Amino acid sequence: MLCPAMRCHRLALGLGFCLLSGTALCLLWKYFENWLLISYVPYYLPCPEIFNMELRYKGEKPFQPVTQSLYPQPKLLEQRPTELLTLTPWLAPIVSEGTFSPELLQRIYEPLNLTIGLTVFAVGKYTRFVEHFLESAERFFMRGHRVHYYVFTNEPAAIPRVPLGPGRRLSVLLIQRHSRWEEISTRRMETISRHIAERAHREVDYIFCLDVDMVFRNPWGPETLGDLVAAIHPGYYAVPRQQFPYERRHTSTAFVADDEGDFYYGGAVFGGRVAKVYEFTRGCHMAILADKANGIMAAWQEESHLNRRFISYKPSKVLSPEYLWDDRKPQPPSLKLIRFSTLDKDTSWLRS
Amino acid sequence: MQAGLARVQGDPPAGPLLPQSEAGTAGHRQLVEKSRFCLGTDLRWPPPAGSGSSHPDGTDGLGPRQEPDLATQVGLALSLRSERCLQLLPGHLPPPTPLARGRLRGVMGPRSLWGRSASPRLCGLLLVAACLGFYSNVFSLIPGRRQIGESQSTEGGHLQGQAEVLPLSPDSHGGAPQGVLEETTTQWSERDCPPDTCRVPEVPRMVYPKAQLLKPGRTDVLVMTPWFAPVIWEGVFDSAILDAQFRNATIGLTVFAIKKYVVFLELFLRTAEKHFMLGHRVTYYVFTDRPSDVPRVPLGEGRRLVVLEVRSYSRWQDVSMRRMEVISAFSRRRFLREVDYLVCVDVDMAFRDRVGAEILAPLFGTLHPGFYAAARSAFTYERRPRSRAHIPADEGDFYYAGGFFGGSVAEVLRLASACQQAMAADRADGIEAVWHDESHLNRYLLYRKPAKVLSPEYLWDEHMLRRPPFLRKLRFVAVPKDHAAIRH
């Protein structure tokens, strides 16, 4: 009775001890492994609770049959001088004026009763842009659809109350302000993915993430809706890929080699279906964290990471520079209708 | 209730959990109770300062459990116990006496437990629990790739299960039960990207020439429809990128070889082996009423041939129209489980050039080679309002060919069912559409616009049409045949 008990008891203790020491060593190794690579930069772990959340998205809306639409027949052998490329090599449409029929798209999308989310970040001095941004969005952004604006700010009191049309709502969300403007900019990816996980996936079908220091100048409608949508940066649409301001340091996760790259996409405009934007922003955020752990910040902050990700996960729709324009540049004839462009501003003062 | 209150106030719980109760009538029962008690003690780790935590059995009873899961608790508990036991063991453990039952004093609790271990199986079980608890805890606390992978698959899996209600096409009556169609359409929405769930397909690092925004690939032809469906011509797509995006897709190719049409199979299959979806998994579904006449053609890797026997009809028009019925029946029965995309083509054709992943889309149609330049009023739509395939003269985008259409299995199922029901309704009314299933297909594609449109490169007849300059490649061409002989 006692001998087998003693043996078992010793065996059990021995196993327990091995287990413990093994685990302790494992833990130690994991921590030290990370530690060796970090030059100490304050960094944080993303909230584990989000990763395991099951997102119940609003139901997918299939396209309804298009009834009785009167529009001219598409001409197959048109000799129209198309100045802009209309299809990417992976068959994603490039949206510009003249490539689509607004009435037809309205007929296709209206019965779906979509809600489109729009996120902007107005931190610190950038709150002054919100009013003009929202007023122009009320005039031009997704007229006829339900829209939900999400304004992220550190000063909710500074957000003006802009009169909104029917079916359009505004939510002001509080976020933390960081000391460096680059940090604020980079944290957008994290904030957007958390926001989608916590809230937006229930409220909207599509979401766009735009910069706030811009204004809508012409209609921005359902032609921009797609699974994953990117916009071409106005400064680099005519330039070979070697001159794109990608992150060129190998140590960064946003590294792009000289022979890679389709377009240089702007970080000021991206969007798509809520599920895909969630995956996209989360992927970017992970890459940004990895860079932080290595003590490196990409050349154009989250725009570099966005571009890196868009090379591997190609967008299903691309917006021409009409949808992201810099007013300081002269408008070329190939861009017929500028819809969204920058406001003239003193960047250095704003960022201080 | 009272016990609860006692716990809250920090009094020792009454009853069998009290270590000093040596009433010990049923010794074994008491032993078991003691073990539970000991477990309970350790779960309050880290022990509150100043309490009797050095008392291995602590008198404060069970506190409210806040730990996330039982496995973790047990794991922590047992690990702690083993630590303590390790401290206690050398030389501290009194030799267990044979009269151990019922005589346990508080301070001896865990030691005596170990000394008189109830059974080796219990030890083993506790250790396994400790193992599980510890490792699950350790690895979930350290954020790593595994976590991200798990959560991605959770989301993806959930999205797949989303229910949807899909309206049938406007002119369908009854026919397929709504329930069946609904459950088969749950996978529809994720066909915007290749099969697995919600992910944008990742492409590996590739080197290819950059597209120029200011230099369109083709200026002589329409490259995108007004509803953003690409029109696939040579020079508009990069086959390497598309092949990479669709690398995990399985494509089914359905073809009907009824009666004398079996003679076309040999050339069809041989040329398909050379040009159709190279590098992807392909299943040829050959529907025939003469299975023995299906030729044995050597197939490449990842490609297989399935021969399915169907009945034939005396009229060739019926043979053509009943294809829709067969496709919808087999889609439900088989194709949904076996392939991701379905391509439905005529058999009296041959492949002459690449037909690859550029055609894959949730729903695609092909431009009929005879009508690509015609005005919509000249299209040979069914113009009689009585028919379900009726299209008025001022409507219509393109004239699609009945000999090459396809898409994701769910979408093709929807299309085939709608066409089949429309044809059945027409048959009941005693009317037959002018171009049979092609008319019904055109009606369907007018109101449910395809996501991609294939240019006439993908369906051409050299003997009936002169080749225009904008047709840089002929990929899928008609094989000359004697209509009269073959149809009768």
Side-chain angles (χ1 to χ4, degrees):
Chain A
M1 175 67 188
L2 292 177
C3 280
M6 280 297 293
R7 229 183 286 137
C8 164
H9 150 118
R10 287 229 171 107
L11 175 67
L13 282 174
L15 281 176
F17 178 68
C18 290
L19 174 70
L20 257 184
S21 52
T23 316
L25 281 172
C26 200
L27 256 174
L28 275 176
W29 169 245
K30 281 221 178 296
Y31 279 123
F32 280 121
E33 190 181 41
N34 289 340
W35 199 40
L36 289 171
L37 292 172
I38 298 173
S39 62
Y40 190 76
V41 172
Y43 96 122
Y44 58 99
L45 296 177
C47 297
E49 64 263 14
I50 293 183
F51 289 127
N52 293 320
M53 259 172 75
E54 251 188 27
L55 300 188
R56 278 170 215 285
Y57 293 104
K58 293 177 81 182
E60 298 287 354
K61 306 245 176 83
F63 285 136
Q64 310 281 358
V66 180
T67 52
Q68 251 292 329
S69 17
L70 298 166
Y71 52 88
Q73 181 193 359
K75 295 196 177 15
L76 196 70
L77 303 176
E78 206 154 68
Q79 298 293 336
R80 197 168 53 101
T82 42
E83 284 153 21
L84 278 187
L85 190 65
T86 37
L87 269 189
T88 65
W90 59 95
L91 298 176
I94 301 180
V95 184
S96 60
E97 180 61 16
T99 56
F100 62 95
S101 155
E103 303 83 36
L104 177 56
L105 288 174
Q106 193 70 19
R107 276 185 189 275
I108 292 178
Y109 282 98
E110 207 174 310
L112 298 181
N113 266 332
L114 296 170
T115 312
I116 293 122
L118 177 52
T119 69
V120 279
F121 285 75
V123 177
K125 298 192 181 101
Y126 280 78
T127 47
R128 71 196 53 236
F129 296 112
V130 175
E131 179 161 13
H132 207 164
F133 179 91
L134 286 177
E135 277 170 2
S136 61
E138 280 299 297
R139 271 184 75 193
F140 294 118
F141 181 76
M142 300 284 178
R143 292 296 297 268
H145 293 88
R146 290 206 302 270
V147 173
H148 196 149
Y149 301 104
Y150 298 106
V151 178
F152 294 89
T153 180
N154 64 322
E155 268 181 278
I159 304 296
R161 291 278 164 266
V162 172
L164 300 178
R168 299 166 87 97
R169 299 167 50 188
L170 170 72
S171 296
V172 179
L173 297 131
L174 185 65
I175 54 166
Q176 193 197 357
R177 178 175 184 167
H178 299 273
S179 43
R180 298 163 62 221
W181 70 267
E182 294 96 336
E183 185 71 23
I184 300 173
S185 189
T186 323
R187 292 273 175 139
R188 293 195 310 164
M189 289 295 179
E190 184 214 357
T191 312
I192 291 168
S193 64
R194 283 187 68 170
H195 173 63
I196 294 179
E198 286 165 6
R199 195 174 153 173
H201 70 272
R202 280 190 302 267
E203 298 178 350
V204 300
D205 302 295
Y206 289 85
I207 193 162
F208 281 96
C209 309
L210 306 182
D211 269 9
V212 74
D213 51 354
M214 319 264 293
V215 91
F216 291 90
R217 302 205 190 275
N218 274 299
W220 176 307
E223 70 276 3
T224 56
L225 294 177
D227 273 6
L228 187 61
V229 182
I232 297 178
H233 194 290
Y236 300 95
Y237 66 89
V239 166
R241 52 162 63 126
Q242 294 80 3
Q243 293 174 31
F244 288 166
Y246 287 140
E247 173 57 60
R248 301 289 187 190
R249 288 171 289 180
H250 285 265
T251 41
S252 170
T253 49
F255 167 70
V256 179
D258 269 344
D259 52 5
E260 279 184 294
D262 310 297
F263 301 103
Y264 192 73
Y265 302 106
V269 172
F270 66 94
R273 285 225 202 145
V274 149
K276 295 210 168 49
V277 173
Y278 174 63
E279 293 240 346
F280 181 80
T281 49
R282 208 175 66 173
C284 284
H285 176 52
M286 290 288 109
I288 290 171
L289 280 186
D291 266 10
K292 258 198 170 153
N294 293 331
I296 186 171
M297 177 167 272
W300 284 99
Q301 301 87 45
E302 86 276 12
E303 188 176 83
S304 305
H305 287 277
L306 178 134
N307 271 281
R308 172 69 249 177
R309 198 155 173 96
F310 272 136
I311 294 175
S312 311
Y313 295 85
K314 298 194 184 310
S316 66
K317 195 175 256 184
V318 174
L319 305 180
S320 65
E322 288 175 3
Y323 290 84
L324 174 58
W325 188 246
D326 186 349
D327 276 341
R328 291 169 298 188
K329 296 184 169 22
Q331 183 177 339
S334 47
L335 295 179
K336 306 266 184 295
L337 195 66
I338 301 297
R339 301 161 199 266
F340 188 60
S341 60
T342 53
L343 278 179
D344 220 354
K345 59 189 185 282
D346 180 1
T347 326
S348 45
W349 174 75
L350 280 167
R351 285 173 177 169
S352 59
Chain B
M1 187 53 148
Q2 275 177 344
L5 281 173
R7 224 173 286 142
V8 163
Q9 290 154 14
D11 292 342
L17 293 181
L18 199 64
Q20 268 76 27
S21 64
E22 297 170 20
T25 40
H28 179 67
R29 182 169 61 88
Q30 200 149 36
L31 257 179
V32 171
E33 279 159 356
K34 285 286 179 287
S35 66
R36 246 194 310 147
F37 179 72
C38 292
L39 263 178
T41 315
D42 293 335
L43 290 171
R44 284 175 56 250
W45 188 84
S51 73
S53 59
S54 55
H55 253 250
D57 45 12
T59 49
D60 301 29
L62 299 168
R65 295 194 177 186
Q66 274 138 15
E67 293 86 341
D69 60 307
L70 189 57
T72 318
Q73 288 175 329
V74 174
L76 278 173
L78 289 170
S79 63
L80 208 49
R81 172 204 309 288
S82 14
E83 251 180 30
R84 245 182 247 153
C85 292
L86 286 171
Q87 288 163 13
L88 293 170
L89 183 55
H92 289 162
L93 194 68
T97 64
L99 300 171
R101 12 182 188 143
R103 281 269 166 204
L104 298 169
R105 293 193 40 202
V107 91
M108 303 264 290
R111 270 182 277 159
S112 32
L113 174 68
W114 277 114
R116 284 154 225 271
S117 64
S119 73
R121 266 179 278 134
L122 182 61
C123 289
L125 199 64
L126 292 174
L127 267 171
V128 167
C131 202
L132 280 174
F134 234 103
Y135 278 105
S136 71
N137 224 21
V138 159
F139 286 109
S140 63
L141 277 180
I142 299 175
R145 296 177 58 78
R146 200 182 309 166
Q147 216 179 30
I148 300 167
E150 277 164 6
S151 56
Q152 271 183 350
S153 56
T154 325
E155 285 161 44
H158 186 78
L159 272 169
Q160 277 282 13
Q162 278 269 337
E164 319 166 346
V165 176
L166 216 60
L168 296 173
S169 76
D171 43 9
S172 60
H173 313 277
Q178 188 90 4
V180 173
L181 263 183
E182 272 177 44
E183 87 199 29
T184 55
T185 55
T186 46
Q187 292 146 52
W188 167 83
S189 52
E190 301 317 312
R191 293 303 180 225
D192 289 321
C193 48
D196 60 0
T197 70
C198 187
R199 275 163 241 175
V200 179
E202 183 184 0
V203 294
R205 175 178 147 68
M206 293 166 70
V207 178
Y208 49 82
K210 173 177 135 45
Q212 312 275 5
L213 185 67
L214 298 176
K215 293 199 193 65
R218 294 287 298 256
T219 44
D220 51 345
V221 286
L222 185 74
V223 147
M224 195 162 72
T225 64
W227 61 91
F228 292 125
V231 184
I232 317 286
W233 303 89
E234 175 62 20
V236 137
F237 62 92
D238 184 325
S239 40
I241 303 179
L242 288 162
D243 278 339
Q245 283 188 329
F246 287 93
R247 63 189 175 278
N248 290 327
T250 310
I251 297 108
L253 179 62
T254 69
V255 71
F256 286 76
I258 307 286
K259 296 192 278 196
K260 291 189 191 142
Y261 280 73
V262 289
V263 305
F264 294 109
L265 275 176
E266 165 101 34
L267 182 64
F268 180 91
L269 290 171
R270 266 196 298 111
T271 52
E273 279 298 298
K274 282 212 214 81
H275 298 291
F276 182 74
M277 302 286 175
L278 295 179
H280 294 85
R281 285 196 304 275
V282 174
T283 306
Y284 300 102
Y285 293 105
V286 176
F287 294 95
T288 181
D289 57 338
R290 303 177 186 181
S292 47
D293 287 344
V294 174
R296 293 269 162 274
V297 173
L299 300 178
E301 171 137 10
R303 301 164 86 95
R304 59 183 190 129
L305 178 79
V306 175
V307 178
L308 298 161
E309 192 167 348
V310 291
R311 61 160 290 188
S312 72
Y313 291 84
S314 42
R315 291 177 66 231
W316 67 265
Q317 295 90 336
D318 282 328
V319 173
S320 181
M321 295 206 292
R322 293 285 179 166
R323 292 189 298 176
M324 290 294 186
E325 184 184 329
V326 171
I327 289 172
S328 69
F330 277 87
S331 294
R332 246 181 242 123
R333 229 184 283 164
R334 258 187 102 130
F335 300 158
L336 271 175
R337 283 191 309 270
E338 293 185 0
V339 297
D340 303 311
Y341 291 93
L342 260 187
V343 177
C344 308
V345 296
D346 280 355
V347 71
D348 48 353
M349 314 280 292
F351 289 89
R352 203 119 10 111
D353 213 321
R354 177 201 156 95
V355 173
E358 67 276 4
I359 71 174
L360 297 178
L363 183 63
F364 68 84
T366 311
L367 299 178
H368 194 292
F371 296 94
Y372 59 83
R376 51 164 58 132
S377 47
F379 290 161
T380 55
Y381 289 145
E382 173 55 61
R383 300 294 188 189
R384 292 168 291 177
R386 260 200 330 136
S387 167
R388 301 297 179 294
H390 165 68
I391 295 176
D394 54 1
E395 288 184 41
D397 309 302
F398 302 108
Y399 192 75
Y400 299 101
F404 197 157
F405 65 90
S408 65
V409 181
E411 285 294 333
V412 171
L413 169 58
R414 215 168 293 165
L415 181 154
S417 308
C419 288
Q420 177 217 340
Q421 282 155 28
M423 287 191 277
D426 267 8
R427 208 175 299 126
D429 279 350
I431 186 169
E432 190 173 273
V434 57
W435 284 103
H436 326 102
D437 47 311
E438 192 174 80
S439 306
H440 290 273
L441 176 80
N442 271 281
R443 161 113 185 176
Y444 186 88
L445 289 179
L446 174 61
Y447 294 124
R448 285 176 185 264
K449 304 214 179 290
K452 275 187 190 164
V453 175
L454 308 187
S455 66
E457 291 175 4
Y458 288 84
L459 189 70
W460 194 252
D461 189 338
E462 281 184 297
H463 304 272
M464 285 184 28
L465 299 154
R466 209 186 44 220
R467 181 177 171 167
F470 56 79
L471 223 56
R472 293 188 192 169
K473 282 195 176 185
L474 295 179
R475 303 172 192 268
F476 191 51
V477 293
V479 170
K481 66 180 192 274
D482 181 358
H483 282 97
I486 208 99
R487 281 170 177 173
H488 305 287

